[in-house]
Amino acid sequence: MKVTLRTDVLTNNNKAAEFNRQQFTETKTLVINLMSSPGAGKTTLLEETVKALAGKYRVAVIEGDLATEKDADRIRALGAQAVQINTHGGCHLDARMVAATLGEFDLDEIDILFIENVGNLVCPSGYDLGQNHKVAVLSVPEGNDKIPKYPTMFMRTELVLLNKIDLLPYLDFDVDVAREDLLAINPISGLLPLSASTKVGMDEWFTWIDQAYQTCIQS
Ligand SMILES: Nc1nc2c(ncn2[C@@H]2O[C@H](COP(=O)(O)OP(=O)(O)O)[C@@H](O)[C@H]2O)c(=O)[nH]1
Ligand SMILES: [Mg+2]
């Protein structure tokens, strides 16, 4: 019985994800679903990304959190449109929650929509939101064991941003080991070390976005 219910939930999610994907495809909107544990630096990365892409792309953000508009307010402070979803206890966004926000956006006027998922290394990975790309953020203080311990998150991503590399001199984290662990469970995902604070590595992230956008509008 429990298995049937879960199947229904995912089927409904997948229908909503297809609806979202259709809207995004028709309007040629690049959509990136950003996932990580709480505090890895998703919003900080998005703040720096919104600032860097201003004038080049029209960027909007969906923020997912259990409560508050804090992250949406951080994005709005930069002049970009942000819609906050509060899950009221839910540990991930689902495609229906995203679909319910789409009326608030004019997708024809948006080039790139970032979705900051709820901070959690488990639940968000199982839910298709209709995005073009799933990107995970792992941060240096979380330690080297997280990729092997949370494989469902890292086996489904196309890119892992290794954030807070400015802290490498102070913490016991080996970037080569992270690269090997990721390769073992997901040979197609890249690993990009960067720091949203010092901006080291951020240009490669922006280049990745450029390429993803070109692929999106040509498809
Ligand atoms: N040292 C360092 N701290 C960072 C970096 N990126 C984010 N932080 C800090 O990490 C904390 C959590 O960041 P936030 O963006 O809110 O994480 P989120 O919960 O994943 O959205 C904040 O105190 C940020 O200032 C970084 O590259 N280096
Ligand atoms: Mg955040």
Side-chain angles (χ1 to χ4, degrees), residues 131-172:
Q131 73 284 312
N132 299 82
H133 302 287
K134 287 184 174 181
V135 173
V137 183
L138 176 68
S139 63
V140 165
E142 292 171 71
N144 263 115
D145 58 352
K146 296 304 175 295
I147 292 176
K149 281 171 72 173
Y150 296 90
T152 54
M153 170 59 68
F154 295 100
M155 68 175 43
R156 293 185 173 117
T157 58
E158 286 151 77
L159 179 67
V160 175
L161 302 175
L162 177 61
N163 191 30
K164 308 194 188 183
I165 59 166
D166 52 294
L167 299 178
L168 281 172
Y170 315 106
L171 295 167
D172 185 18

Side-chain angles (χ1 to χ4, degrees), residues 36-45 47 71 74 116 119 163-167 194-198:
S36 81
S37 41
K42 296 179 298 302
T43 314
T44 310
L45 274 161
E47 289 173 312
D71 281 4
R74 286 168 65 180
E116 179 180 339
N163 191 30
K164 308 194 188 183
I165 59 166
D166 52 294
L167 299 178
L194 49 71
S195 167
S197 293
T198 67

Side-chain angles (χ1 to χ4, degrees), residues 73-104:
D73 285 342
R74 286 168 65 180
I75 301 298
R76 289 174 190 138
L78 303 171
Q81 184 183 8
V83 172
Q84 182 79 49
I85 298 173
N86 285 148
T87 60
H88 306 290
C91 59
H92 62 89
L93 294 180
D94 68 40
R96 286 165 297 183
M97 296 174 190
V98 171
T101 70
L102 294 186
E104 299 187 48

Side-chain angles (χ1 to χ4, degrees), residues 30-142:
L30 173 67
V31 182
I32 296 172
N33 177 5
L34 204 57
M35 299 175 285
S36 81
S37 41
K42 296 179 298 302
T43 314
T44 310
L45 274 161
L46 285 176
E47 289 173 312
E48 295 309 319
T49 303
V50 164
K51 283 190 239 171
L53 301 187
K56 185 170 188 184
Y57 298 111
R58 297 164 297 177
V59 174
V61 178
I62 293 174
E63 287 288 352
D65 279 297
L66 274 69
T68 83
E69 297 252 336
K70 284 180 183 293
D71 281 4
D73 285 342
R74 286 168 65 180
I75 301 298
R76 289 174 190 138
L78 303 171
Q81 184 183 8
V83 172
Q84 182 79 49
I85 298 173
N86 285 148
T87 60
H88 306 290
C91 59
H92 62 89
L93 294 180
D94 68 40
R96 286 165 297 183
M97 296 174 190
V98 171
T101 70
L102 294 186
E104 299 187 48
F105 295 102
D106 182 353
L107 291 178
D108 282 322
E109 299 298 322
I110 294 170
D111 299 316
I112 306 177
L113 176 65
F114 291 98
I115 303 175
E116 179 180 339
N117 218 310
V118 177
N120 188 303
L121 274 185
V122 183
C123 314
S125 67
Y127 286 80
D128 181 9
L129 304 181
Q131 73 284 312
N132 299 82
H133 302 287
K134 287 184 174 181
V135 173
V137 183
L138 176 68
S139 63
V140 165
E142 292 171 71

